[in-house]
Amino acid sequence: VAMPGAVRVAMPGAVRVAMRALWLAALLGALGAGGTELTLELPDSDRRCFHQELESGIKFTLDYQVISGGHYDVDCYVEDPNGKTIYQETKKQYDSFPHRTEVKGVYTFCFSNEFSTFSHKIVYFDFQVGDEPPILPDMNNRVTALTQMESACVTIHEMLNSVIDSQTHYRLREAQDRSRAEELNGRVSYWSVGETIILFVVSIGQVMLLKSFFTEKRPGSGRTST
């Protein structure tokens, strides 16, 4: 009788330990991949820069997209450790920049909203460093063909990566569409209030004008008798 009870008590703890182990493995895998995703607020007439130290011959990819603000555009440029501009785009809504480093040092990439004097921007960017490690050991150095199970694992891995990219893309599109809808709703509300005020002013003016047409003008009593 004691054994089933012990099993029922021990199973949730084992599940929690397994889930923690899986979560830790996923976290370590994400850290090992060298990826950084960030959504930042970029005030008007402002610039934000980020710095990353990289080795020579390392591949990195910078993806960014403006979620809200103004005309959904931003300036972006990337500089190598020698101060040379290796990427520069002005008033861009979204873009992707892959590059393989030629020199070792600190690379700088900046987002600038200095051309705008009124609108704040919200910018999302994804900075990936390094090539994706193979999902199977010695996959790149194998001479024999992959087994059916290994091919299925590779296909599932590629499809999952595609799903992740699609989810990120649709989340950004949803945030952008929501921002546009809220902005449009605000404009419609202000326009409706303005039309209401104009309607009241015109109505009151018409009433006063019609009232002046039917008001009897009495002759003045300033005449004196002699």
Side-chain angles (χ1 to χ4, degrees):
V1 178
M3 289 301 295
V7 171
R8 286 196 296 268
V9 174
M11 281 301 293
V15 172
R16 286 196 297 269
V17 172
M19 292 300 295
R20 290 175 182 174
L22 291 175
W23 178 82
L24 181 59
L27 179 61
L28 292 177
L31 293 177
T36 300
E37 292 183 79
L38 186 63
T39 303
L40 61 98
E41 181 179 359
L42 191 60
D44 53 284
S45 303
D46 196 6
R47 178 178 60 181
R48 298 287 175 86
C49 294
F50 301 87
H51 310 275
Q52 178 68 41
E53 184 175 0
L54 300 174
E55 298 290 335
S56 177
I58 297 297
K59 178 184 177 182
F60 71 85
T61 303
L62 175 63
D63 298 323
Y64 64 92
Q65 180 175 345
V66 181
I67 300 177
S68 66
H71 296 287
Y72 302 89
D73 52 358
V74 70
D75 295 344
C76 180
Y77 64 89
V78 181
E79 293 182 351
D80 63 5
N82 298 326
K84 177 183 176 182
T85 301
I86 57 179
Y87 171 82
Q88 184 174 7
E89 289 290 343
T90 58
K91 296 184 178 181
K92 200 78 171 179
Q93 293 184 354
Y94 58 89
D95 201 6
S96 178
F97 173 63
H99 182 73
R100 189 169 294 275
T101 61
E102 299 178 355
V103 295
K104 176 183 177 181
V106 177
Y107 286 76
T108 303
F109 59 97
C110 299
F111 300 99
S112 175
N113 193 30
E114 296 174 326
F115 60 88
S116 178
T117 56
F118 298 102
S119 59
H120 285 51
K121 308 289 178 62
I122 297 180
V123 182
Y124 162 86
F125 73 88
D126 182 11
F127 187 72
Q128 298 289 336
V129 179
D131 297 319
E132 184 179 2
I135 61 174
L136 299 176
D138 299 332
M139 180 177 175
N140 297 330
N141 300 325
R142 294 186 59 175
V143 180
T144 59
L146 298 177
T147 63
Q148 185 176 1
M149 181 65 70
E150 292 172 341
S151 300
C153 291
V154 173
T155 303
I156 293 173
H157 177 72
E158 294 175 352
M159 294 179 64
L160 288 176
N161 286 336
S162 178
V163 169
I164 293 174
D165 294 338
S166 299
Q167 287 180 340
T168 302
H169 172 72
Y170 287 121
R171 282 199 301 267
L172 295 177
R173 288 292 300 272
E174 190 272 337
Q176 190 177 41
D177 293 342
R178 179 181 295 275
S179 176
R180 289 181 177 177
E182 291 177 353
E183 182 180 0
L184 182 61
N185 183 39
R187 291 182 179 181
V188 171
S189 299
Y190 289 137
W191 182 258
S192 301
V193 172
E195 285 186 337
T196 303
I197 295 175
I198 294 174
L199 181 62
F200 275 112
V201 172
V202 172
S203 301
I204 295 174
Q206 289 179 346
V207 170
M208 295 181 64
L209 182 62
L210 292 175
K211 184 178 180 181
S212 66
F213 289 159
F214 296 97
T215 300
E216 181 181 359
K217 296 182 179 179
R218 298 179 180 180
S221 57
R223 302 175 63 183
T224 55
S225 59
T226 55

